[in-house]
Structure formats: structure tokens, C-alpha cells
Amino acid sequence: MTTQTQKIPAPAVAPAKRQSSAILTGHRFAGPLFASPALIGLAIFLVAPFVLAVVLSFYRVQLNSPRPARFIGFEQYTRLFTDPDLSAAFGQALLNNFTFALIVVPVQTVLALGLAVLVNRKLRGMVVFRTFIFMPLVFPLALTAVIWRLIYSRGDEGLLNALLGLFSGGALSSHDWLGSPSTALGSIIVMSIWQSVSFQMIIVLAALQSVPTELYEAAALDRANKWQQFINVTVPGIRNTLIFVALITTIFSFRLFDQVYLLSRSGSVDRGSTETVMTQIINTGFDNNNVGQAAAMTVIFMLIITMIAIIQRAAVRQRGGV
Amino acid sequence: MTMSKTMEPTRRSSSMKRTRRWQTALHYLILTVVALFFFLPVYYLIVGSFRPSSEVLSGLSGFVPTNLSFDNYAGVFDHLSSDATGHFGQFALVSIIVTTAVVAGSLIVNSMAAYSFARMKWRGKKVLFLLVIILTIIPFEAVALPLYYMFSGQRDTVVIQAIPFIANAFSIFLFYTFFLDVPGEIEEAARLDGAGPFRTFFQVIVPITKPAFATVAILTFLGQWGSYLWPVLMVSDPTVRPLPLAISIFQNQQPPEWGQVLAFGTMFIVPVLAVFLIFQRWFVASISSSAIKG
């Protein structure tokens, strides 16, 4: 109820603000001044290295090498698509990224919504349940990788195998979850969801609590049952938030790096089926010391991410969202 | 609103009450299963940290708290006590310094930028803000390599671990959404009292948007405390190594000392967990505060 009373004055204020800009003429430089530290930081540590990546992608260049960088034009790009060794691995990494995103984005968004609905009810002890669900948020990825590596361990000593063995009466056991190509990506997906779904849940929870209760009362008067209320009141009410969550999950899922990198370093994961573009870039740049090639991969990859973001935005805009 | 609620119990028939009770029971059941999924790995970590390494990886018995001792914790400190491996205290200190610098710096720098974008008028603002929004999709991992190339001369310093993460496009965006909701009269009043933009921001806006600062602080902290990729690239000197890198030292032992890895992990998360639990209410409230009812 109070939401309305708070929100109503907002538009009325806008014209007053416009007039007042005249008073501010003495502080003409305040705006750029306030923004400049952050903008300079972003320029040096995000824009400049990105531009450098574009430049480097046209060179053959090695780290800590006395040989000067050599300009080779588009060769890194053409090799990326025509050199069978490179293009197969790059294609596979891209495919893994897309598979990961296609599964994680819908699953995680729906799970976040489900969890938010689940913990939104006022029940005794809810604080405890919420706390448990938030716990993975404090886990650094390096530690997440260690723990899930233990859970997924092959043989009977692995926790997951032992659990499955217990529930199936010994029929199921001894699967090498991370090591076998068919389950490696799936295992990493479960681990990623465990790690990050609570973050999305918090955002959805906040949105749920902002849906005006009057709408539910009106729906209840119209004899809508709980499920109908959920579909006709809750989901439309938090539509923008769900879209936002799906957007950031998409971007995060394309960034997938740490878990895979850490697991593949310890040698416990099937590389081919879990390699992502990000891990490939780092491996190419540092382990194989091929900076130019890695830079070309970065540029292609950024183009792809940007395109996905633009398509998503456009699709959402068309239906009148954010 | 309140009326319908007070009338509810009398109107409900007993059969409805029964279905409700059944629903509540089901709700608790689902909650318990979900909570277990999130909590079991945490439990496994903590119990394992007190058990002998050889018994950590032993199927379901890894869950049973037997043979508990502090040996693994002692082992961690023993192991990290020479100059070759670095000292635990030193790692912790580096992590604390870097994280504090990033959190504090990012609160100041990003909030000011967001305030400027949300509330001030200046030339080129729209274009720059659009650019900032675009920057939110560039993952750090994508620029890690050229950034390394740019700053390879600054390797093994504490400063280079912190400074690239202070300005953050996503934090600017978060602050921006919070600042948009601040009623204009408040700034108006400050201005009429003769406050310049700096005073208006630091003495008027900052105090009323504390939840925004809490949110960004917590998110930045969580992201930075476990940061792995950048230190892996930039740090080889054990004296400036942050905590996350030490995890892999234990993992690479042959045979791996799982007990020690888990003890190390527990020491890594328990302080954070404590802080998080203390601020949890605030955190959740702050994220919802822009919309929540007063």
C-alpha cells in the first residue's frame, strides 16, 4: 500500500529538478568530475586492454620473448577458422559454451523463481532455511572446485557415487562423473547452479516482495486458485526481474571459466567436453604462449557475446520490457 | 487487507484447515530437501576438516564425524611456515588488504560516477553511460591476457592485485538504479541550504542510500575475496600471495592432503560466513529495499 504513496510524488518532482539545473551552473564541472575516477579506471583496465586485444590479434607475439612482435594481419583469424586443429577445438569450446548457456539459463532462472517462492512464505524457522540456501555465496570458486571434485570422485569413495549406491541398493555406483565425457559438462552445470542460484534467488525474492498484495486479494476474490494467482499475478508482476536475471545468467554462463579451469588443472575433468572459450583463451595465451592467437579468440568471443546481448535486448524490447 | 485476514480463520472449514496443514508439511519437506542440497557440501567441508586425510574420501563415512582432531589445522600452519611456501598470516594479510582496498575504493568511485549519471546534467553523459552499460558485458577474463601484457612490469605487487577491480561497470549500474529513486526534494533542500554537489552527495545522499552501499560492498567483497585468475597470472612471489592461491598448494601435494585442504577451506569461509550471517538480514533487505513496503 505504502509503495503507491511513495511512488506517486516521483513524477511530480521531475519538472522541479529541470528548473534547478540553472542554480547549478556554478558547479558545471561537478558531473564529469564525479564520474571521472570510475571512467578513467574503466578506460585503463577494461577498454584499453580490450583495444590491445584487438591490436594483438593482428600480430604474432609471445610473452617475455626477446623477439619483437610481428604483424601478420588476419592470419590468426583465418587460422582460427581454417586450421583444422585450431578450429575443431575452438568450435568445440563454443559449442560447450552454448550448451551450458542453453541449459543453465532456463534451469537456473526457473530454479531461482521456485526457490524465491519457496522461501517467501512466512513460516517458523524460515531464516534458518534461507541461511542454508545462501551459504554457497561465500564460497570462493577455488574451494567450490575442490569440494565438488571430492563429491564427484570416481569409485566408491566418491560421495555422489556412495549416495547413489545407497539409494539404489548398490545397483548404481562407480561412475566417473567429471572424467567421462557424457557427464562432465552436466556435473559442472550442477556445481555452477549450486554456487550461483542463491544470488539470482535474492534478486527474485526482492521482486516478489514488491508485488502489491492488493493484486492477490483481487485475484482471490475472482476465485483464482494459488496456481492461477502465480501465473496471472506473480509472474507478470516480476516479469522485468525475471528477464534481468535471465540476461545476467546468460552473460555469466558465457564467462564460465574458474570451475572448469581449476578442475582441468587438477586433471580430474574430461577436457574435450568441458573446455570453454574462456579456458581456451587462457591456455592458448599462457600455457602455449601464443598471445596473438588468444587475442583473436577474445575478439571473436566478444563479438559473439555482444551479439547475443543485443538480440536478447531487442527481443525483450519488442515485447515492451526493460 | 487486515480485515480479511482476521476473518479468515472463522470462515475456513476444518477440511480446508487440514489441507493447509498438509500443504505446510509439504512445504517444510521441500525446504528441507533443498536446504540439504545447499548445506551438505558445507557440512562435508567442515566435518572433513577435522578428520584424517585418508578418511575424507571414503564414501558416505566421510559424513560421519569420527576421529575428530585439530591435526589438519595444525598441519596447515606447519606447512605454511617457511619462506619457500609463504606464511599463512601473510597470505591472509594480502587478501585482507587487497579486498579492503577494492571494496572501499569501489564504494567511493562507483557511487560517485553513478550519482553523476543518475542525478546530474552534463554534456556527453548519455553516451558515456551507454558505454558503461556496454562494458558490463565484457568479462574480466576476456581482458586478463592483454591486461597482463600491459602490466607485466608490475608483477608480484599488492597494488596491481587491487587496482584493476576498483572501477566496476556493474557496481555503477547498481548504484545508478538506487540513486534514481531518491526523491528530488531532498537534493533541492540541500541545495537551498547552500550545499555544493560534494556535500549534497556525501552528507545527504550517502546516508539515505546506505542499503545500496551495503549491497555493493557485500557483492564486491564476495567477488574479490575468492578472486583467483588475476593473482594466478600476476603473483609468483609467496610474500604477496593471496589466500585463494594457497588452496592449490595443498591440492598439488602427492598424495593430496584432503584434510588439510578442507581445514584451509574452512578457515577461508568461516570468517566470511560469520560476517555474512551478521549482515544477512541487512543484505536481503537492502536488495529488496528499492521496492519493499515501508
Side-chain angles (χ1 to χ4, degrees):
Chain A
M1 250 156 82
T2 28
T3 345
Q4 252 93 0
T5 50
Q6 274 175 358
K7 287 229 164 114
I8 288 165
V13 171
K17 232 173 67 190
R18 216 161 282 150
Q19 286 170 3
S20 69
S21 69
I23 312 173
L24 258 183
T25 42
H27 303 292
R28 238 184 330 153
F29 300 110
L33 201 67
F34 268 55
S36 54
L39 292 179
I40 292 170
L42 290 174
I44 297 176
F45 299 109
L46 208 54
V47 179
F50 185 66
V51 173
L52 182 62
V54 177
V55 174
L56 286 175
S57 68
F58 294 112
Y59 284 86
R60 169 159 300 151
V61 53
Q62 295 195 314
L63 290 168
N64 316 316
S65 153
R67 263 190 294 170
R70 193 160 62 84
F71 184 81
I72 52 168
F74 281 93
E75 198 188 309
Q76 303 283 21
Y77 291 95
T78 45
R79 278 187 58 209
L80 203 52
F81 291 104
T82 51
D83 183 336
D85 291 340
L86 266 178
S87 63
F90 189 64
Q92 183 63 46
L94 268 177
L95 184 70
N96 288 342
N97 265 123
F98 273 97
T99 316
F100 184 88
L102 278 176
I103 298 174
V104 164
V105 174
V107 169
Q108 194 159 322
T109 308
V110 169
L111 272 181
L113 174 61
L115 285 174
V117 171
L118 197 64
V119 301
N120 192 27
R121 245 176 92 181
K122 281 205 176 71
L123 284 179
R124 204 170 296 164
M126 192 54 95
V127 181
V128 180
F129 287 110
R130 281 190 191 181
T131 306
F132 282 149
I133 296 173
F134 289 152
M135 274 185 179
L137 277 181
V138 306
F139 273 64
L141 281 157
L143 188 57
T144 310
V146 170
I147 292 178
W148 283 82
R149 187 185 155 191
L150 293 175
I151 291 174
Y152 287 137
S153 278
R154 59 170 165 266
D156 295 331
E157 73 265 31
L159 256 190
L160 183 60
N161 281 335
L163 270 177
L164 287 176
L166 180 75
F167 285 120
S168 67
L172 289 168
S173 70
S174 302
H175 185 72
D176 185 2
W177 296 97
L178 290 168
S180 91
S182 55
T183 50
L185 192 61
S187 303
I188 286 182
I189 287 174
V190 172
M191 177 169 101
S192 301
I193 290 177
W194 179 82
Q195 237 256 315
S196 56
V197 73
S198 19
F199 178 66
Q200 271 91 325
M201 180 194 82
I202 292 176
I203 299 175
V204 179
L205 186 61
L208 278 184
Q209 295 179 341
S210 70
V211 178
T213 23
E214 291 88 341
L215 290 181
Y216 290 103
E217 281 155 21
L221 284 179
D222 289 341
R223 294 172 181 252
N225 64 30
K226 279 273 177 285
W227 175 249
Q228 287 166 331
Q229 288 181 24
F230 176 74
I231 291 296
N232 297 313
V233 179
T234 311
V235 173
I238 60 170
R239 190 175 156 278
N240 281 340
T241 305
L242 288 178
I243 291 169
F244 174 72
V245 167
L247 280 174
I248 57 169
T249 313
T250 311
I251 289 168
F252 282 135
S253 65
F254 274 93
R255 286 176 166 194
L256 180 64
F257 171 78
D258 308 67
Q259 300 101 312
V260 179
Y261 182 74
L262 286 160
L263 288 170
S264 65
R265 286 226 135 176
S266 63
S268 55
V269 70
D270 180 72
R271 282 210 176 201
S273 54
T274 55
E275 181 99 278
T276 68
V277 178
M278 256 6 290
T279 58
Q280 215 172 29
I281 289 172
I282 298 295
N283 286 335
T284 313
F286 288 94
D287 300 348
N288 307 340
N289 202 356
N290 194 345
V291 178
Q293 185 63 66
M297 288 174 171
T298 305
V299 173
I300 302 274
F301 188 58
M302 283 314 303
L303 284 178
I304 294 172
I305 296 192
T306 313
M307 247 153 52
I308 292 169
I310 290 172
I311 293 169
Q312 270 189 331
R313 277 255 156 136
V316 170
R317 277 257 170 79
Q318 245 175 9
R319 285 191 266 141
V322 259
Chain B
M1 202 161 100
T2 37
M3 216 167 71
S4 66
K5 256 188 193 148
T6 49
M7 283 167 73
E8 247 173 33
T10 48
R11 288 264 179 96
R12 300 272 168 178
S13 67
S14 66
S15 79
M16 265 182 120
K17 251 187 193 164
R18 217 171 299 142
T19 47
R20 272 189 124 196
R21 204 172 296 158
W22 195 81
Q23 275 176 350
T24 309
L26 185 72
H27 205 100
Y28 273 117
L29 184 73
I30 299 173
L31 272 172
T32 309
V33 172
V34 168
L36 278 178
F37 173 71
F38 286 99
F39 180 64
L40 277 185
V42 186
Y43 172 82
Y44 183 64
L45 166 75
I46 294 172
V47 169
S49 72
F50 290 104
R51 305 186 75 220
S53 287
S54 55
E55 290 176 32
V56 168
L57 251 186
S58 52
L60 291 178
S61 66
F63 277 119
V64 189
T66 51
N67 289 338
L68 302 183
S69 77
F70 279 96
D71 292 353
N72 293 322
Y73 290 85
V76 168
F77 287 104
D78 274 354
H79 195 84
L80 294 179
S81 59
S82 75
D83 287 337
T85 54
H87 300 266
F88 184 88
Q90 219 163 19
F91 295 167
L93 192 66
V94 171
S95 272
I96 290 169
I97 292 173
V98 170
T99 309
T100 311
V102 171
V103 172
S106 106
L107 285 183
I108 298 170
V109 161
N110 296 317
S111 68
M112 286 178 69
Y115 182 70
S116 169
F117 285 127
R119 314 296 297 208
M120 292 173 160
K121 278 188 131 188
W122 44 285
R123 253 171 187 231
K125 176 179 102 165
K126 279 191 179 157
V127 180
L128 283 172
F129 187 60
L130 188 70
L131 206 72
V132 170
I133 297 295
I134 293 170
L135 289 185
T136 56
I137 68 163
I138 297 189
F140 172 74
E141 291 84 357
V143 298
L145 186 78
L147 202 60
Y148 172 89
Y149 197 77
M150 284 166 68
F151 291 97
S152 53
Q154 272 75 45
R155 291 196 74 205
D156 288 328
T157 61
V158 175
V159 175
I160 198 62
Q161 292 184 52
I163 228 167
F165 303 98
I166 290 177
N168 183 304
F170 190 71
S171 300
I172 295 178
F173 181 69
L174 258 173
F175 273 123
Y176 176 84
T177 56
F178 273 96
F179 291 150
L180 278 186
D181 291 339
V182 174
E185 298 97 326
I186 292 177
E187 285 167 311
E188 216 42 27
R191 221 169 273 149
L192 291 178
D193 286 345
F198 274 90
R199 281 193 63 171
T200 309
F201 180 62
F202 285 106
Q203 294 188 347
V204 181
I205 304 294
V206 173
I208 60 170
T209 49
K210 271 189 208 143
F213 285 82
T215 307
V216 174
I218 292 169
L219 292 180
T220 312
F221 176 85
L222 292 176
Q224 190 59 42
W225 182 245
S227 152
Y228 186 81
L229 171 66
W230 187 238
V232 160
L233 302 181
M234 291 308 268
V235 176
S236 52
D237 178 358
T239 56
V240 291
R241 196 177 274 164
L243 281 171
L245 294 198
I247 294 180
S248 50
I249 299 179
F250 290 99
Q251 238 185 313
N252 296 337
Q253 286 175 331
Q254 280 310 328
E257 283 282 346
W258 290 121
Q260 289 184 15
V261 178
L262 299 189
F264 186 85
T266 306
M267 286 192 276
F268 197 100
I269 62 151
V270 164
V272 187
L273 201 58
V275 173
F276 185 69
L277 290 183
I278 295 166
F279 288 108
Q280 194 214 96
R281 227 168 251 271
W282 203 17
F283 177 44
V284 179
S286 74
I287 287 194
S288 39
S289 69
S290 55
I292 211 165
K293 297 136 229 259

